[in-house]
Amino acid sequence: MRPEIWLAVAIVLVAGCGVRGGETPTEPGTPSASSTPELPDGFRWESYGSAQVAVPDHWGWESASQRLGQWCAMARQPAPVPAVGRPGSATQVGCPAGDPRETSVEVTGEFVAFTPVGDDTMDAHRAETDGDRVVVELGETRLIVQAEAGLRDRILASAHRIDTDHLGCPVSPPLVDDEDWIPATEFPAEPSGITRLVACGYTAGGGEPGLTGSAALDPEAVAAIARAPEGSGPNDPSSCLSIDGPREVVVLRASSGEGQPDELLVRYDDCRDAGLYDGQGVRQLTPEAVAGVFAGPLLPDHYAGHHRELFRPLLEERYGR
């Protein structure tokens, strides 16, 4: 099977509220070694590609493409709320590069952004250290940190390279290079016995960066998945524009305390093969099942029209509109 690209409804929004301050444990711009540093109180881990970094618990999530490339759209407004960004959808305002306001906390706010090192679309918009912004590279991932000095240095001190993130999500599992990968085992239908349920986001089929983020889920989410009707969907082949390129997926990993976790593949960035896949077959995406899976950084900021009922309520709940 090949991924499809379809006409999508893009939603560019920002969420969360932040905290500032903190001592300066390391020199600015110097990420820690590959071993995992201690997580500071009031912070959480965020992972993307080969990088992991601690950010204040109250920071939200947004599109890095919007925050970095569309900075001038914010210049006449109060600084946006603190957030963590990954590549996503963006408006099309032509913002010039090189303006010092672009890297000012007072104008574009405090944020952490992840991008693949080879993503040239970001290069014209200050993917370099300047003003209140520090940029470092951790393996194949570029980490952009913009914040007031004390907080910025504290975030950078936590940054480190990973092969597996804090929730046990590997950076480059087989599906990163094999778009047809499906789990071999049956996924649990009941939450009893599950000690931990984790969602790992990926680009499947050869796309960078591999791991796009992760979230710990309520084991009760498996019951909603088990209630979903059998078969693939919702699908709309008429909306397909292309069959080329990687697609976004989520892999659920259910641990019971013994052996390897059971896995479930969630295909949603698709116009033909959407669904919940395990070794026994496929079930449809339903609003109930999707609500239990797409938490934290995994909630997409765009969706196809035939997935409106799945994702729009979650985006409205997060962003309040």
Side-chain angles (χ1 to χ4, degrees), residues 239-255:
S239 69
C240 297
L241 297 180
S242 172
I243 61 172
D244 296 321
R247 60 179 159 194
E248 302 291 322
V249 300
V250 170
V251 175
L252 300 192
R253 297 165 56 90
S255 301

Side-chain angles (χ1 to χ4, degrees), residues 163-220:
D163 295 315
T164 301
D165 83 349
H166 64 293
L167 292 177
C169 297
V171 170
S172 298
L175 68 84
V176 171
D177 295 314
D178 180 6
E179 63 195 30
D180 294 327
W181 177 87
I182 292 176
T185 60
E186 183 177 5
F187 196 69
E190 297 290 339
S192 59
I194 296 178
T195 57
R196 186 166 77 158
L197 181 63
V198 171
C200 311
Y202 293 103
T203 47
E208 292 292 343
L211 180 68
T212 59
S214 62
L217 305 180
D218 186 337
E220 291 293 333

